[in-house]
Amino acid sequence: MEAENRKQVLILGAGFGGLNTALHLDKVLKEDTAVDITLIDQNHFHLFTPLLHEVAAGVIDEGLVLTPIRRVVSKTRVGFLRARVEAIDLERQTVSLCCEEKRYDILVIALGSVTNFYDLDSVRDKALEMKHASDVNAIRCHVINRFEAATRENDDELRRRLLTFVVVGAGCTGVETVSEVREFLMHMRKDQYPVIPPEEIRTVLVEVQDRVLSQMDRTLSRTALRRMESMGVEMMLNTVVTDFTDVGLVFADGTEPLPTDTVIWTGGVKAPPVVERLTGEKDRMSRIVVDSDLSVPAVPNVYVMGDAAHAHHPETREIYPPTAQVAYRQAPIVAHNVAADLEGRERKDFDFTYIGDLVSLGRFSGVADPFGVKLRGTLAWAMWKFYYLLSLVGWQNRLRVAFNWFLALLSPTNSALAHECAPECTADMCMLSESSWEIGGS
């Protein structure tokens, strides 16, 4: 059939939702269906975000959370186009990419989310993120440069600022990040920087609410809190960040600023700018409000899923959280509905019941609430490992991640960098005083 007569399905984003929608759609469409499926993403790889904090801490290698998209779709009818989505025109049914324009007959928007800095420009400019593959190396380089600067700094105030590491946001990502970062810091100090006293390394978790993991049962929240405190993590609850200056983090309640130049921001997400610019009803996170079948009301042939969608359970009306678990479960429903539109069949509603959260808290510890069952400690940690091991794309990555986890149990995490880390030799970062600093020296 002539190419111009074939239906064009564009799937924007190759995260959990987009990639799995493409794979499911390839399976459910009849072989003779005249349709082209094109998956578009600005990266050439699928990123397994739930394990990013372990990559940052050196528990597993970076390459194990990156899976080449072309390899995944190589034996399907799905075509892959690496390009950045610049704009979506719902009226003309076109998508503007960084280098071309593509038309569509059916569009699936699965562009995920971006970090929500709540209009705090100083935080956006200075803080680190735990969102992309590049973030993990940026965090490790940043941390090591602080340790290096601290070993030659004899000004107590400046040294304390160098050795204070802050995570903002105590949801699942923030709690897992601060736990792994704390273990990474202490392993690295013992392995490479014994000259630095352990009590000088501060790890602080800042949260706007009155408890950590607010989406979980309060008993699990308290368990997580006690676990982190036992690791040496300091808690600042009911605390709102208003600025990040050269002095440190500034708070709304007038509390003395926290001296630090290391802030990892995990304080929330929102829809990406491309989605934010679209017309239609949106929530406070700029996510598009969708119907129960994940289609956009009053906009034909467009589906939104994953972090970019404000979706609700058709009966309970409960809003689904922006998690990988939800995006993964939405994929077969979106694929079915796209195929139904193409072949004249009936759509399905997305009625998934959220199974709960799994949160790792460092070595041999975690909390979980699968189907309302409260789990703590090693059992929750093992369930977390097992669940995400099975969720990885490709059996090769599963074997390698399992091997990395086994090695991590036998020896401390790897604090070497996977790439060259340029030293920060500006006067501000070196912070050198008149004489070099040697802890414990003569």
Side-chain angles (χ1 to χ4, degrees):
M1 181 175 290
E2 295 295 328
E4 58 267 22
N5 294 327
R6 296 176 65 84
K7 296 292 186 180
Q8 300 296 320
V9 176
L10 299 188
I11 301 174
L12 309 182
F16 289 95
L19 178 60
N20 285 288
T21 295
L23 296 176
H24 280 285
L25 185 58
D26 175 67
K27 293 178 181 178
V28 300
L29 281 177
K30 296 177 182 178
E31 289 297 327
D32 60 351
T33 303
V35 58
D36 293 326
I37 307 168
T38 305
L39 179 64
I40 301 174
D41 196 282
Q42 65 179 353
N43 298 310
H44 69 283
F45 54 81
H46 166 76
L47 174 63
F48 194 82
T49 52
L51 296 184
L52 271 180
H53 62 284
E54 290 205 330
V55 177
V59 176
I60 60 177
D61 295 331
E62 178 184 5
L64 300 182
V65 299
L66 307 176
T67 304
I69 298 169
R70 293 186 184 276
R71 179 198 298 166
V72 178
V73 303
S74 61
K75 296 181 180 180
T76 71
R77 75 174 80 182
V78 178
F80 173 65
L81 177 61
R82 183 183 179 188
R84 184 177 62 253
V85 177
E86 302 283 4
I88 300 170
D89 191 325
L90 298 177
E91 292 186 2
R92 295 177 55 237
Q93 294 194 184
T94 60
V95 175
S96 298
L97 307 174
C98 54
C99 49
E100 63 179 300
E101 185 176 85
K102 298 280 288 185
R103 75 166 186 87
Y104 67 82
D105 294 290
I106 298 179
L107 180 67
V108 177
I109 301 174
L111 290 170
S113 59
V114 297
T115 302
N116 193 347
F117 291 104
Y118 303 97
D119 297 322
L120 298 176
D121 293 337
S122 59
V123 175
R124 181 185 295 106
D125 294 340
K126 297 180 181 180
L128 299 162
E129 299 178 58
M130 185 65 75
K131 190 72 176 171
H132 310 99
S134 58
D135 294 336
V136 295
N137 284 323
I139 289 172
R140 297 180 74 178
C141 276
H142 184 91
V143 168
I144 286 178
N145 283 333
R146 268 66 197 161
F147 271 67
E148 291 290 341
T151 60
R152 56 181 182 263
E153 180 55 65
N154 65 357
D155 183 290
D156 291 343
E157 182 178 344
L158 294 180
R159 194 167 66 248
R160 281 194 297 271
R161 182 156 76 93
L162 286 168
L163 295 174
T164 298
F165 304 92
V166 183
V167 175
V168 178
C172 294
T173 301
V175 166
E176 290 181 334
T177 297
V178 78
S179 300
E180 290 290 350
V181 165
R182 178 63 182 178
E183 290 192 339
F184 172 61
L185 293 173
M186 302 316 290
H187 280 308
M188 191 169 67
R189 186 214 70 83
K190 182 179 179 181
D191 181 42
Q192 299 184 39
Y193 301 91
V195 68
I196 298 177
E199 62 272 14
E200 292 205 353
I201 301 174
R202 295 184 66 190
T203 312
V204 184
L205 180 61
V206 179
E207 168 57 34
V208 67
Q209 301 193 58
D210 63 351
R211 64 188 180 104
V212 303
L213 300 175
S214 60
Q215 78 279 15
M216 301 184 80
D217 180 82
R218 284 190 175 272
T219 61
L220 294 180
S221 176
R222 286 194 293 270
T223 297
L225 179 69
R226 289 194 296 267
R227 161 64 178 172
M228 289 185 288
E229 288 178 335
S230 71
M231 298 170 67
V233 177
E234 302 174 37
M235 299 292 165
M236 295 184 67
L237 303 178
N238 293 307
T239 303
V240 178
V241 174
T242 59
D243 204 355
F244 184 13
T245 69
D246 291 338
V247 175
L249 273 185
V250 180
F251 307 111
D253 60 3
T255 301
E256 189 76 16
L258 178 61
T260 182
D261 62 1
T262 304
V263 173
I264 303 174
W265 188 271
T266 64
V269 297
K270 65 177 183 177
V274 170
V275 175
E276 196 172 9
R277 290 194 295 267
L278 293 176
T279 58
E281 185 181 0
K282 302 185 188 72
D283 64 10
R284 60 184 180 82
M285 297 164 58
S286 300
R287 299 183 301 176
I288 296 178
V289 176
V290 296
D291 286 333
S292 297
D293 60 5
L294 302 177
S295 65
V296 180
V299 181
N301 306 319
V302 177
Y303 294 88
V304 185
M305 62 187 304
D307 292 4
H310 175 100
H312 58 266
H313 192 282
E315 296 179 1
T316 66
R317 312 301 292 180
E318 182 180 1
I319 304 302
Y320 292 111
T323 66
Q325 178 189 152
V326 172
Y328 183 83
R329 298 287 183 170
Q330 287 174 337
I333 300 300
V334 174
H336 170 89
N337 291 342
V338 170
D341 291 346
L342 291 167
E343 299 172 350
R345 294 186 281 111
E346 187 176 349
R347 295 177 180 176
K348 291 181 179 179
D349 286 343
F350 179 66
D351 61 356
F352 170 65
T353 298
Y354 193 65
I355 65 173
D357 293 294
L358 302 168
V359 182
S360 68
L361 295 167
R363 190 179 176 91
F364 294 119
S365 185
V367 290
D369 58 356
F371 303 106
V373 179
K374 302 178 184 63
L375 302 177
R376 302 169 177 81
T378 304
L379 181 58
W381 172 84
M383 179 172 286
W384 184 93
K385 296 280 189 184
F386 183 73
Y387 176 80
Y388 284 116
L389 189 66
L390 292 183
S391 301
L392 277 165
V393 178
W395 63 268
Q396 303 100 324
N397 280 357
R398 293 173 193 150
L399 287 177
R400 289 169 180 152
V401 166
F403 183 66
N404 272 219
W405 281 342
F406 176 72
L407 290 179
L409 295 178
L410 300 179
S411 62
T413 53
N414 176 23
S415 57
L417 291 174
H419 69 293
E420 182 179 3
C421 181
E424 294 176 332
C425 289
T426 63
D428 181 53
M429 283 296 98
C430 287
M431 296 181 180
L432 291 174
S433 300
E434 293 181 0
S435 60
S436 62
W437 172 56
E438 294 183 4
I439 300 177
S442 56

